[in-house]
């Protein structure tokens, strides 16, 4: 997730008529809508350049790999994606996941990983992965964002070690501009101002500083189709599969969360399943054209949709095309960008990504301890493993444990009636599953209850076989005392579960 930059395509833009359709054809027919879409695309392209280069450095690859990824991702998702107006490109989240692949195995293995990740995303999405987003707790999402911020910041530290002393004041100056300029004007993207002014100063004064050009060759031509030069063996699959799975999961998580955010801003609904497999197709295209993979970018999407007023696929497509033209035509200039400028940009990306409210002492005191524990677990696992997918999965598992413990206490057993001297009625209320049903056996008075016991489940719901086994055990305990016990009031779903009664070995 990238920082949300308060940018606009021009000094101001007119309010958007809600009646305007968010389609490319409508935009092409309307000069006003076309102007908004193209200006938004240009603004996004300018904002993408420094971040795409920075994420390339973060991943340990040539800047052209990140720039190619941003171009191919944006152009492809504009056609196949499910959320018009959303920007997809090379991202810090994906860069962090694939960085170990480059260090250990080389660039061709990275391309193979991206291709496999795209295939996994398509399979997951067609299997209904988008529907699982509803089960992602907010505390996990906050932990995901905070961990990403920490990892992006920590990745800048090597660029500040064993460098000329002049780098440090330049980084501080860049941060100051990034903070203060948006308060004065939002016409020009602050990151672009930092990159342009620092590059101009470095060239004009002949400063000897680490530059982007030292990180690798920039593109001077269009990306070309390629196949990764890796052995097509099971060993290769075992090598890249864990990283590909992480890229797929992280990409889907970030893209689907961004799509939901755009839905809320535009008051429209998007096709999350299409967006999911669209991300997979975009990563396949990116892998075949020498890109590092990517996913949706929150910061650039906000620039496009919220600040610039774009609503169609045309803005996303235009951003990718403008990006490639700028880089190919101005490649020699881009190579002279000082690393200090990009470090400043990435530090502010991490600052903007962090959810500072979530770690405010007042917030922590007011939040339930379980929510805080889930967030901290997500952050700790992510930072320790440098794998956002592991952190999210662990966070979800911890949230499930807390949820199960809480719901287990919602189940009650109450002695509600005695129709006659030989009969009593127990009402069981709540959700019955493995966590709540384990203690169910101990809530009946087997010794002192009358001859006939009715267990009424009309206010309860059976959710698993553990509950059926617990009910069988209760009935068995009454039978051992020479008493009759029956279960009544089952709804249709509970009846289907209770058909397992007597087949689970309860009481033996």
């Amino acid at each position: 997730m990238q920082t949300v930059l308060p940018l606009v395509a021009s000094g101001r833009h007119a309010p958007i008529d809600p009646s305007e359709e968010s389609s490319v054809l409508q935009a092409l027919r309307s000069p006003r809508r076309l102007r908004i879409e193209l200006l938004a695309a240009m603004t996004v392209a300018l904002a993408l350049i420094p971040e795409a280069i920075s994420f390339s450095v973060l991943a340990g690859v040539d800047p052209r790999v990140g720039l190619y990824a941003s171009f191919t991702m944006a152009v492809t998702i504009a056609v196949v994606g499910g959320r018009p107006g959303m920007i997809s490109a090379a991202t810090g989240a994906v860069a962090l996941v694939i960085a170990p692949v480059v260090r250990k195995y080389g660039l061709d293995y990275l391309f193979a990983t991206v291709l496999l990740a795209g295939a996994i995303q398509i399979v997951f999405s067609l299997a209904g992965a988008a529907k699982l987003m509803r089960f992602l707790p907010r505390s996990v999402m906050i932990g995901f964002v905070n961990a990403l911020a920490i990892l992006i910041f920590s990745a800048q530290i090597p660029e500040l070690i064993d460098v000329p002393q002049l780098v440090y004041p330049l980084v501080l100056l860049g941060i100051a501009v990034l903070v203060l300029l948006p308060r004065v004007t939002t016409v020009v993207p602050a990151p672009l101002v930092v990159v342009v002014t620092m590059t101009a100063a470095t060239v004009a004064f002949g400063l000897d500083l680490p530059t982007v050009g030292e990180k690798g060759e920039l593109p001077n031509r269009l990306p070309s189709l390629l196949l990764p030069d890796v052995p097509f063996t099971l060993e290769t699959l075992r090598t890249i599969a864990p990283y590909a799975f992480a890229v797929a999961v992280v990409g889907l998580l970030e893209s689907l969360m961004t799509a939901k955010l755009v839905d809320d801003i535009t008051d429209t609904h998007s096709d999350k399943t299409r967006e999911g497999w669209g991300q997979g197709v975009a990563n396949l295209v990116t892998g075949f054209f020498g890109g590092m993979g990517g996913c949706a970018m929150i910061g650039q999407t906000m620039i496009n949709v919220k600040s610039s007023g774009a609503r169609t696929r045309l803005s996303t497509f235009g951003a990718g095309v403008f990006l490639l033209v700028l880089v190919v035509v101005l490649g020699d200039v881009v190579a002279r960008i000082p690393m200090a400028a990009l470090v400043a940009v990435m530090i502010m990306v991490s600052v903007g990504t962090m959810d500072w409210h979530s770690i405010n002492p007042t917030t922590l005191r007011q939040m339930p301890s379980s929510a805080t524990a889930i967030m901290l677990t997500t952050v700790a696992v992510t930072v320790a493993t440098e794998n956002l997918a592991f952190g999210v999965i662990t966070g979800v598992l911890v949230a499930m444990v807390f949820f199960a413990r809480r719901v287990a206490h919602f189940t009650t057993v109450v002695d509600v009636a005695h129709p006659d001297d030989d009969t009593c009625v127990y009402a069981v209320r709540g959700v019955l599953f493995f966590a709540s049903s384990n203690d169910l056996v101990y809530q009946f008075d087997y010794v002192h209850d009358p001859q006939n016991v009715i267990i009424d489940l009309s206010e309860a719901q059976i959710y698993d076989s553990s509950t059926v086994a617990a009910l069988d055990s209760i009935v068995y305990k009454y039978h051992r005392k020479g008493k009759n016990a029956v279960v009544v009031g089952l709804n249709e779903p509970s009846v289907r579960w209770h058909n397992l009664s007597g087949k689970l070995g309860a009481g033996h």
Side-chain angles (χ1 to χ4, degrees):
M1 295 182 181
Q2 283 66 52
T3 183
V4 178
L5 307 174
L7 311 176
V8 292
S10 60
R12 59 186 179 87
H13 59 270
I16 298 166
D17 185 354
S19 65
E20 291 185 356
E21 299 177 19
S22 59
S23 69
V24 174
L25 289 178
Q26 180 69 20
L28 293 175
R29 294 191 188 107
S30 169
R32 175 179 174 277
R33 169 53 55 189
L34 182 61
R35 175 182 61 82
I36 292 174
E37 298 297 317
L38 293 181
L39 287 177
M42 177 62 75
T43 304
V44 170
L46 293 173
L48 273 173
I49 292 175
E51 289 197 358
I53 296 172
S54 298
F55 294 141
S56 299
V57 175
L58 187 62
V61 298
D62 290 348
R64 60 181 172 178
V65 178
L67 292 165
Y68 281 163
S70 295
F71 160 69
T72 52
M73 287 291 298
V75 169
T76 305
I77 204 66
V79 177
V80 300
R83 175 62 263 178
M86 193 166 78
I87 304 296
S88 292
T91 61
V94 171
L96 287 166
V97 175
I98 53 91
V101 179
V102 181
R103 288 197 304 267
K104 296 177 182 178
Y105 308 106
L107 198 57
D108 282 296
Y109 277 83
L110 179 147
F111 299 147
T113 300
V114 173
L115 290 172
L116 181 58
I120 292 173
Q121 286 179 324
I122 293 173
V123 173
F124 278 9
S125 299
L126 295 179
K131 297 177 182 178
L132 297 178
M133 281 297 295
R134 70 186 69 176
F135 300 112
L136 194 65
R138 183 175 181 275
S139 297
V140 173
M141 294 179 66
I142 293 174
F144 169 87
V145 170
N146 291 345
L148 177 59
I150 293 171
L151 290 176
I152 291 176
F153 179 83
S154 62
Q156 308 313 307
I157 295 176
E159 301 297 334
L160 299 174
I161 298 175
D162 295 329
V163 295
Q165 293 296 316
L166 186 57
V167 168
Y168 303 113
L170 283 178
V171 171
L172 293 176
L173 177 62
I175 292 174
V177 172
L178 289 166
V179 171
L180 299 176
L181 182 62
R183 300 180 183 180
V184 178
T185 178
T186 57
V187 174
V188 185
L192 190 66
V193 171
V194 169
V195 171
V196 171
T197 55
M198 285 195 179
T199 302
T202 300
V203 173
F205 294 104
L207 302 177
D208 184 16
L209 296 172
T211 63
V212 170
E214 297 174 10
K215 296 293 181 179
E217 182 182 357
L218 289 174
N220 54 13
R221 55 184 171 79
L222 296 175
S224 56
L225 188 65
L226 59 83
L227 282 175
D229 185 16
V230 299
F232 290 90
T233 62
L234 285 176
E235 182 60 32
T236 300
L237 182 62
R238 281 194 292 267
T239 298
I240 66 175
Y243 300 102
F245 179 80
V247 170
V249 172
V250 168
L252 284 177
L253 282 172
E254 191 158 347
S255 298
L256 294 176
M257 286 191 290
T258 305
K260 185 178 184 304
L261 182 60
V262 177
D263 288 353
D264 294 339
I265 291 173
T266 61
D267 291 324
T268 57
H269 178 70
S270 61
D271 187 339
K272 303 297 190 302
T273 298
R274 177 176 173 178
E275 182 60 38
W277 65 253
Q279 290 289 330
V281 172
N283 273 310
L284 285 176
V285 173
T286 298
F288 279 125
F289 281 91
M292 59 181 272
C295 61
M297 302 182 78
I298 288 185
Q300 277 61 34
T301 298
M302 292 301 99
I303 295 171
N304 195 48
V305 174
K306 192 172 184 179
S307 300
S308 302
R311 290 293 183 271
T312 77
R313 301 176 187 274
L314 186 61
S315 60
T316 307
F317 186 88
V321 173
F322 284 144
L323 171 66
L324 188 66
V325 171
L326 288 170
V327 171
V328 171
V329 175
L330 302 175
D332 292 339
V333 176
V334 172
R336 296 189 177 188
I337 295 175
M339 288 302 301
L342 298 183
V343 170
V345 170
M346 294 309 299
I347 288 176
M348 289 310 298
V349 166
S350 67
V351 171
T353 300
M354 177 70 73
D355 186 339
W356 296 102
H357 177 73
S358 68
I359 58 175
N360 186 296
T362 302
T363 303
L364 292 175
R365 285 195 297 269
Q366 295 174 346
M367 288 290 290
S369 58
S370 58
T372 302
I374 295 167
M375 180 193 71
L376 293 178
T377 299
T378 304
V379 172
V381 173
T382 302
V383 173
T385 63
E386 295 188 359
N387 190 313
L388 292 160
F390 288 166
V392 170
I393 292 171
T394 304
V396 170
L397 291 175
V398 173
M400 290 172 60
V401 171
F402 279 115
F403 176 77
R405 289 184 59 188
R406 185 178 181 187
V407 173
H409 297 299
F410 290 164
T411 303
T412 58
V413 177
V414 182
D415 185 348
V416 293
H418 289 263
D420 54 57
D421 292 341
D422 292 328
T423 306
C424 74
V425 180
Y426 283 101
V428 180
R429 298 164 181 162
V431 178
L432 299 175
F433 66 115
F434 62 90
S436 60
S437 60
N438 283 336
D439 294 331
L440 198 63
V441 180
Y442 306 108
Q443 300 188 46
F444 295 86
D445 191 349
Y446 304 101
V447 175
H448 300 104
D449 279 343
Q451 185 66 28
N452 302 307
V453 177
I454 299 174
I455 304 172
D456 184 4
L457 268 64
S458 58
E459 298 180 62
Q461 172 74 53
I462 297 177
Y463 280 99
D464 62 8
S465 59
S466 297
T467 301
V468 178
L471 291 172
D472 283 353
S473 180
I474 292 168
V475 172
Y476 177 75
K477 286 179 178 292
Y478 275 115
H479 287 175
R480 287 182 58 185
K481 300 294 183 183
K483 301 176 182 180
N484 300 316
V486 294
V487 177
V488 301
L490 296 170
N491 57 24
E492 185 175 346
S494 296
V495 167
R496 286 198 293 269
W497 276 111
H498 201 252
N499 286 336
L500 294 173
S501 178
K503 303 174 184 177
L504 301 174
H508 299 288

